[in-house]
Amino acid sequence: MLAELFGEAGVPASLAARTAARLGPDAAGRLRADPWRLLRVPGVQPAQADHFARALLAQDARPDDPRRGAALVLHLLTEAARQGHTVTPAADVLSALERARFPDPRRAVEAALDEAEVLSLTEEPEFDEEAFDEDAEPPEPEETLGPARWALAEEAAAEGFQRLTLTAAPLLDDAALKGLRDGLAEDRSLALTAALRTGVSILRGTPDGLARTALAIASAAASQGVRTALATPTDRAAADLTPD
């Protein structure tokens, strides 16, 4: 069914497997109901989704179609998430839609929210006591948007991290930590302290730098009789962590 639909619309047959994996067994039916859903398939660009919609809908494929607007919003947020931004300021999304010449950017955002695959989050501005002026208008809260599946996953991860933090106990006392920190660079010393004193920590940095830091922390803990283990996502990553 999907191969037939793609043949009818002139879409390369090689895209069928990715589309079925992303949209499920009823991919053909879902695409007939909303051709712009093709934009949810990894690698598909807006111009390609527009071409597909025109092939199926002919003159009914309008630039201001709410389905197109919702697909564009989700696409923009997904691309931002792949670069590490699970939420994006709504103002940036509206500007991107204007650059894409969508006739009514705000309507596109509303359509995406109605689909429930995009979440709107409001972040209150930080209070600056030094710059406070009682006659000035308070800053407006910033609205951000994010793909629902990743925004919810990030929220769940944050809640889990908070629970672990509240129940974690130091692995070493201050005296032992001081001995391990002697001679270390400041960033390595801080990472070591966070990992072994708080029990739960998150490190940021380059992949190679993080690997070396994680290995150093585990080795330091093991030298003090603390049982340690390093988990990696792949066998290759585990091999890279093997001490020289």
Side-chain angles (χ1 to χ4, degrees), residues 76 109 203 222 235:
L76 289 168
V109 170
L203 305 179
D235 290 343

Side-chain angles (χ1 to χ4, degrees), residues 5-70:
L5 175 64
F6 279 0
E8 174 187 334
V11 175
S14 58
L15 192 60
R18 270 185 290 157
T19 302
R22 182 67 183 88
L23 299 182
D26 190 32
R30 299 181 73 185
L31 288 173
R32 287 192 183 277
D34 179 358
W36 285 283
R37 283 183 182 271
L38 187 68
L39 196 51
R40 304 183 188 200
V41 178
V44 174
Q45 297 301 310
Q48 295 170 310
D50 285 338
H51 176 80
F52 178 66
R54 287 192 297 269
L56 292 188
L57 303 178
Q59 69 273 12
D60 291 332
R62 304 187 318 275
D64 63 346
D65 192 306
R67 296 172 296 180
R68 179 173 183 261

